[in-house]
Amino acid sequence: MTAQQAAQQAAQETAQRNAVVELVRIAPIADELAARFAAAGHQLYLVGGSVRDALLGRLSSDLDFTTDARPQQIMELVKGWADAIWDTGIAFGTVGAARRGTTVEITTFRADSYDRVTRNPEVQFGDSLEADLVRRDFSVNAMAVDLASKTFVDPYGGMQALAQRLLDTPATPEESFADDPLRMMRAARFASQLGFTLAPRVRTAMTEMAGEITRITAERVQMEISKLLCGAQPRLGIELLVESGIAEHVLPELPAMRLEIDEHHQHKDVYQHSLVVLEQAIDLEEPDESPDLVLRIAALLHDIGKPRTRRFTPGGGVSFHHHEVVGAKMARKRLRELRYSKEIVEDVANLVYLHLRFHGYGKGEWTDSAVRRYVTDAGDLLPRLNKLVRADCTTRNKRKAAALQRSYDDLEERIARLAEEEDLAKVRPDLDGNEIMKILGIPPGPMVGKAWQHLKELRLDNGPMAHEDAVAALLSWAKAQGLGAPEA
């Protein structure tokens, strides 16, 4: 062993000891639980993500354990100790419990087999910790702490992989991904969340087995995409999905944006541009708030309509007319197929549809009416739209970039001024439905809605109207519609 190798080994052993000490310090509940299991003659290990996160200094209040005890024995051991117990996962050997604000999941050693048609295992309980660990997704999640002896258990090199920030598999990646193809997307997610790189053999297996992801339900895929996008470095995960070919099956619109650059370089690489916009949108999020999934999806997908709308023009130019309209439809279709909620689907589609609107603002030529319409059309999405539009500036021309930011600063100042004057967030006609019916002498029905919409358009064009002016405008409109004079 060289001096360098010896130093590395010593450093790893120190990190292991420190991790055990930290786990015991942070999670005294683990000690309590271990004592109960030991008294009953059973082993108990802290395992998986809990150990990994402790080594990374980010242990949460959710702890995972594994044991040789069978599920019913686990239930008996936590009775009288836990504040709450649930057995929804007991068919898979898992019992959940909570005590003093900490949630624990305790799972019997597993030695499952897979049909390799679905990702659902045939549950088999095992008797060996090593056999349990080898079936886990990545070696950084296949480490354990023996809570009885306070010793570190790492049969598959998880500590070294963690030190190298490397994702590798305990078994061969081909075996691991054949058992559960969703692990390929988890690899991309961990790249985003933890900044890890993939072992060459893992990257190769992902590329060769990309089509296996079609065995996974849309709901599961959606969950992994969402977690990936909400990670600290989602670009890393997205690039893995695209480069491995997995994106062709789950988000084909992404690789489709890798348009060939025309010889005159009249347009950017849309895919790379979208990744930069995503990163810049993230930079605009509030630092003390949770990741904004809607904003991040919209930033990633805002230009997905460009491949379908690309047209080459005489002289070597290129255009993407109405790509925002096409893109909104494409985003809506893809997100529905991924089983996103109706709210997320509509919010993202509307942001994609609206993201070009600002570019008509120029140097401030919009009238107040146009500003009102911009705000009204955006509605509750206005703060996100502001961020998306600012993030969409990726030009390397510093003068042009500065001019765009000044223009948006000016627009936001005008929005703020008009909002203060007119309460733009609550733009309504100057007459409500009851007043319209009373003035026109008509019953509830479609005509009331048409009158209301007409008055709203006037409100957007002209700002607030005096009551008598609104009444006059309503009567003028009613006359044009052929409505008779109201009864006296």
Side-chain angles (χ1 to χ4, degrees), residues 94-108:
T94 299
V95 174
R99 180 171 170 84
R100 298 200 303 269
T102 296
T103 300
V104 302
E105 285 195 345
I106 309 165
T107 303
T108 301

Side-chain angles (χ1 to χ4, degrees), residues 229 231-232 234 277-286 295-296 391:
L229 285 173
V277 172
L278 171 61
E279 291 177 317
Q280 295 186 164
I282 292 171
D283 289 341
L284 293 172
E285 291 179 351
E286 300 301 327
L295 175 63
R296 295 184 182 203

Side-chain angles (χ1 to χ4, degrees), residues 227-242:
K227 291 177 181 177
L228 184 160
L229 285 173
C230 289
Q233 301 178 70
R235 179 172 184 157
L236 295 179
I238 292 163
E239 288 175 335
L240 276 173
L241 293 181
V242 171

